[in-house]
Structures are given as C-alpha cells and as structure tokens.
Amino acid sequence: GLNGPQTLNWASGMPVGALGGDDTGRQFGYFSDGMIHEYDPLSAGLFLSTLSAPAGDIEGMAFDGNALYVSTASGNLYTLDPD
C-alpha cells in the first residue's frame, strides 16, 4: 500500500533483513550499516532516530506502538524501546 515516491538512495545503505512499523506511521528498518533506523517512508531517505542492533543476523521486526521486537536467524528475540 504505499503510494508515495520510491526512495532509492537511503542515507545509509538499503534496508536488509527486516522492516517493522505500526498504523500511526512509525517505521523501522535494519540497514546495511548494521543499525536499526526509524525513518519516514515519505521523506527522501532521512532517518528520524537510530538504535544499535542487538545482533548481526536480524531477520524479523515488528512494532506494536510501544516496543520494537527484533528476531534473529539464530533464534533470539529482543524487545527494544525505540524511544
């Protein structure tokens, strides 16, 4: 469903492995720089905030409006506070 323009030049590489967001517009992604970035999908690739990734093999991500859940290929699940 996103009908906005496609952004190909992110500020820090492309998202890899995981994306997560909620219905209020908060979006998070694991990027090729090894960090989790909050971003605005309608902006020109600007990051709103940055979190250290808890592991290097992140595959899944979900956000419930409060906590960011990050899963890894090795079977770990992390709960992060994005604020």
Side-chain angles (χ1 to χ4, degrees):
L2 179 63
N3 291 327
Q6 186 177 15
T7 302
L8 299 176
N9 297 314
W10 289 87
S12 186
M14 297 298 292
V16 294
L19 296 171
D22 68 2
D23 60 352
T24 66
R26 291 188 77 181
Q27 302 290 318
F28 299 88
Y30 179 60
F31 283 75
S32 58
D33 66 350
M35 303 295 280
I36 296 171
H37 297 286
E38 181 176 3
Y39 62 92
D40 179 351
L42 301 178
S43 76
L46 302 175
F47 295 133
L48 305 174
S49 65
T50 299
L51 298 166
S52 296
D57 60 343
I58 293 175
E59 284 193 330
M61 193 177 297
F63 182 62
D64 68 1
N66 294 310
L68 182 64
Y69 302 95
V70 177
S71 64
T72 66
S74 56
N76 294 315
L77 178 64
Y78 297 92
T79 304
L80 307 176
D81 180 355
D83 295 324

